Amino acid sequence: MTAIVVIVGRPNVGKSTLFNRLTGRREAIVDDTPGVTRDRREGRGRLAGREFTVVDTAGLEEAFDDSLAARTRRQTERAVAGAAAVLMVVDARAGIVPLDEHFAQWLRRQGVPVILVANKAEGGGVAAGVGEAWQLGLGTPVPVSAEHGEGMGLLYEALAPMLDAADAADAAAAAGEAAQPTDDGLEEVSGPLRLAIVGRPNVGKSTLLNALLGEDRVVTGPVAGTTRDAVSVGWHHAGRDILLVDTAGLRRRARIEERLEQMAAADALRAIRFAHVVALVLDAQQPMERQDLSIARHVVEQGRALVIVLNKWDAVIDRAAARRLLGERLADSLSQSSGVIVVPLSAATGVGLDRLMPAVVSAFETWNRRIPTARLNEWLGAAVERHPP
């Protein structure tokens, strides 16, 4: 295990920029619009040669109902509960605002180590803003510029003792556990099986991920476009490590106008490119529309294994007709992927959910199988005989 460092703060103080700086990659979507991040996103952080897990969270807001802001707040609360350290980010240019004070009080009650990070502190005109941060009662503010990489050494000095304490606790816990050898006769696969969940907006991708995990790990809601970042979640299922990736809904390119949606779509396409298996989620009441076929073709062109998920199956009245329609469209428009596994289920109720992961593993093993050259030549000879060039 690695220590978990959670980044929190009000909207638009530069949390995602700091996340990208610590991971060394532009993984989180960054924009000047407040509230871009909605789900907590994990990555492998590195600072002065020290590795840890860094978690980007949504901007903290005072909301306690069932609104989108309240649901994102609850995601942040869950992340903080398991943290070895929390980086409370404030805007050194704007100074301290009442919302910063409110959440500083909340953090003090959580009983976790907190480092106060005064971001956007590049240049000499923000000393007053950094000084104001003392009033939050979270210790010495660490001035940084996440965008320009300034102050990372100071941040490491503050963070190192907390990482040391977390590593010591993990080592003590691991000392009592004996390693269990396994020998199932299967070839060892390097790293976790990477499963990307993709589809049009509002077909139930995030609900499906939450159903698999058995917890509200990502924010869901009836409004299309709730998910923006591609969120990766580690999971251990049936003796196998799985990396689940929830993605933003993909619309036709001509309909994408906002810059944020363009970045979210690019993030989703990148998730497909780095996946082993892609679960294409369809609305069973409107299966295989033109955009669904476009996404499926993209998955096949990228050389990924494809599994089709017919979600909201419980709402379908004539299931035989729905199956027949889907089969016809696959045969007509996706013949290059014949034999693709189709799993009907309901993510909301859990009906049929137990059939998904066996289908994913089966698709992965087929995708990962090595075909001897002689067998490939035999097949090619028969194919050419049937359809001469």
Side-chain angles (χ1 to χ4, degrees), residues 26-239:
R26 295 187 63 85
E27 293 188 348
I29 295 175
V30 176
D31 192 77
D32 290 336
T33 306
V36 171
T37 303
R38 288 173 174 169
D39 295 294
R40 65 185 193 264
R41 180 169 191 159
E42 298 179 2
R44 185 180 295 276
R46 189 178 180 88
L47 201 56
R50 191 75 173 270
E51 291 194 350
F52 49 90
T53 298
V54 59
V55 182
D56 184 25
T57 65
L60 289 164
E61 296 186 56
E62 291 188 89
F64 302 93
D65 51 13
D66 199 38
S67 63
L68 179 60
R71 296 198 300 273
T72 58
R73 177 196 168 96
R74 288 194 286 270
Q75 289 288 327
T76 300
E77 291 173 349
R78 292 191 188 101
V80 168
V86 173
L87 305 182
M88 167 79 176
V89 183
V90 296
D91 187 335
R93 291 182 199 160
I96 301 303
V97 302
L99 198 56
D100 294 322
E101 296 174 352
H102 173 80
F103 289 112
Q105 292 175 10
W106 174 76
L107 275 176
R108 284 199 296 272
R109 294 194 298 269
Q110 304 310 305
V112 294
V114 179
I115 297 173
L116 182 58
V117 179
N119 190 30
K120 306 182 185 180
E122 64 272 10
V126 293
V130 175
E132 274 186 39
W134 278 97
Q135 72 191 53
L136 296 178
L138 295 175
T140 306
V142 180
V144 306
S145 171
E147 185 173 356
H148 299 94
E150 298 175 12
M152 293 298 111
L154 294 173
L155 180 58
Y156 176 73
E157 288 178 10
L159 187 59
M162 301 175 187
L163 297 179
D164 291 339
D167 290 346
D170 287 342
E177 297 179 2
Q180 299 295 325
T182 59
D183 184 12
D184 53 10
L186 297 174
E187 184 179 348
E188 187 71 23
V189 177
S190 176
L193 189 163
R194 296 192 295 274
L195 171 62
I197 302 173
V198 305
R200 289 183 286 118
N202 219 28
V203 293
K205 300 180 295 299
S206 297
T207 304
L208 176 60
L209 184 139
N210 286 341
L212 289 172
L213 295 176
E215 62 171 298
D216 290 336
R217 175 59 180 80
V218 291
V219 178
T220 60
V223 179
T226 299
T227 301
R228 284 171 174 166
D229 284 290
V231 180
S232 303
V233 184
W235 183 42
H236 193 74
H237 174 76

Side-chain angles (χ1 to χ4, degrees), residues 34 65 69 84 119 137 174 186 248 275 292 319-320 355 369 371 385:
D65 51 13
N119 190 30
L186 297 174
D292 296 323
R319 296 181 176 182
R355 295 195 291 267
R369 186 174 299 144
I371 306 297
E385 197 172 308

